Amino acid sequence: MTVAATAPTRDRALTASTALACCAAVALVAALRAPLAAMVLGLMAFGVLHNVLELRYVAGRFADVLRGPLLLWSAAVVTGIAACRLLTLRTPEILLGYGVLAVGVVYAVPRRWLLPALGGLGVAAAVSLRWPAYHFVVLAHLHNVVPLFFLWEWSRRLPERSRLVFRAVQLGWVLAVPALLLSGLLDGLLVRGSAAVTAFAGTPAALAAPVVPPGAQTGLRFLAVFAFLQAMHYVVWLGFLPWQAPEAVAVFEARVPWLRGWRPWALGLSAAAVLGVLFVADYLQGRAFYQAFASYHAYLEFPVLLALLFAGGGRDLLGSRPR
């Protein structure tokens, strides 16, 4: 299911763990002192490019998962989600989102667990339809947690002791830091810092709405959590995995030769520049267009994650399953 890779040395693994820990420290400072600015400016600067590089990694590393009927079915449903985002059709987007999950479940989950898994999706979909605002807030935060699964899978190549250290670092920034922020223990250091951003991007309430639960009395904490995890999300896709997983890039380039070398970076930066004009002219409208484009990288992860969780157990209904 995964491409062959050379195991990093212990020293390189330690360097990788240290680099991520240092990035987490910097991201935490930014999230505490200027969470709105970190969220808005981070999206404008790195959002589009990280979409391109994440799709490159996933399509390369898991080339034998995202292919054939599974890829076609998933891409078709995600295209519907992108259209729903452009048209602000929230209920159809929720239904199509669970449709992507259902495709992944049918592909990856062992036969004996298929009906319970689909039943669980049905219950979750009913909850999401009953409280759609919470659905989108949860989805936004969960998306930032997704790198944990890919980093966990990547770390299987490390020596045992280095792997334990590396995974502890990942659990630290994905779980421990957000828990610390939500606990209120860092409230004395937490400021909104929004004046420079709201001058062109919109009111703090409008900017924070997609990541703060409706009516939450601790909205600033949720905003800081999102800003922190978003920054680390970008670190993983723009820095860590391109640096540490060149074999995935090689597989992608063999699969899509017209996007070799510098071309994905040029594509991402060019698209970011075009969208940046819209961000500056009307940030909220630019964010809507970005979210439609981002549907592909956000939702195509789900079949891969399910294949990771249930490797080797899926049904052969949508094409060859991982072996």
Side-chain angles (χ1 to χ4, degrees):
M1 151 175 192
T2 57
V3 297
T6 302
T9 63
R10 181 173 299 178
D11 288 345
R12 189 176 178 188
L14 179 60
T15 300
S17 298
T18 304
L20 283 172
C22 290
C23 288
V26 174
L28 179 58
V29 172
L32 285 170
R33 306 310 295 171
L36 269 178
M39 182 178 73
V40 170
L41 299 179
L43 178 65
M44 293 173 63
F46 306 118
V48 175
L49 181 58
H50 106 274
N51 275 257
V52 173
L53 297 187
E54 179 176 347
L55 284 171
R56 181 182 68 170
Y57 175 81
V58 172
R61 182 77 175 160
F62 305 99
D64 56 347
V65 175
L66 280 180
R67 63 183 178 87
L70 175 67
L71 178 58
L72 293 176
W73 276 98
S74 299
V77 178
V78 174
T79 299
I81 292 173
C84 289
R85 288 189 169 184
L86 286 174
L87 298 171
T88 322
L89 302 175
R90 293 165 70 85
T91 297
E93 179 181 342
I94 292 172
L95 292 173
L96 288 173
Y98 280 99
V100 175
L101 286 172
V103 169
V105 164
V106 171
Y107 172 80
V109 173
R111 182 183 301 271
R112 65 185 180 278
W113 297 111
L114 183 61
L115 289 179
L118 291 174
L121 281 184
V123 172
V127 173
S128 294
L129 291 169
R130 176 64 180 83
W131 293 284
Y134 290 94
H135 166 87
F136 289 106
V137 170
V138 171
L139 186 64
H141 285 277
L142 283 180
H143 175 64
N144 282 338
V145 174
V146 163
L148 173 65
F149 296 93
F150 292 106
L151 292 170
W152 203 273
E153 187 275 336
W154 175 88
S155 70
R156 292 190 302 186
R157 69 185 72 179
L158 299 177
E160 182 177 0
R161 182 172 298 179
S162 299
R163 182 168 63 248
L164 291 175
V165 172
F166 181 84
R167 288 179 172 179
V169 170
Q170 309 324 306
L171 291 174
W173 70 261
V174 172
L175 300 178
V177 172
L180 187 62
L181 287 167
L182 290 175
S183 72
L185 293 175
L186 299 181
D187 281 0
L189 301 173
L190 184 58
V191 296
R192 190 178 298 275
S194 60
V197 172
T198 55
F200 79 91
T203 65
L207 295 175
V211 301
V212 175
Q217 299 300 311
T218 56
L220 190 55
R221 296 177 190 172
F222 280 95
L223 181 63
V225 167
F226 184 86
F228 170 75
L229 289 177
Q230 176 185 265
M232 292 302 297
H233 189 91
Y234 294 156
V235 166
V236 171
W237 293 118
L238 296 176
F240 183 82
L241 287 174
W243 166 40
Q244 291 288 344
E247 71 285 346
V249 175
V251 172
F252 175 83
E253 291 180 345
R255 190 179 186 185
V256 190
W258 56 274
L259 274 178
R260 290 178 180 272
W262 54 269
R263 291 181 180 88
W265 294 84
L267 174 64
L269 291 172
S270 299
V274 172
L275 193 57
V277 175
L278 184 53
F279 272 130
V280 174
D282 186 336
Y283 175 80
L284 295 179
Q285 187 65 41
R287 185 173 70 182
F289 276 97
Y290 167 81
Q291 288 173 339
F293 169 73
S295 302
Y296 289 93
H297 91 291
Y299 281 96
L300 286 176
E301 295 166 337
F302 292 140
V304 172
L305 292 177
L306 288 166
L308 280 175
L309 292 172
F310 299 100
R315 299 178 69 188
D316 197 9
L317 295 181
L318 300 175
S320 298
R321 59 179 172 82
R323 300 292 180 184

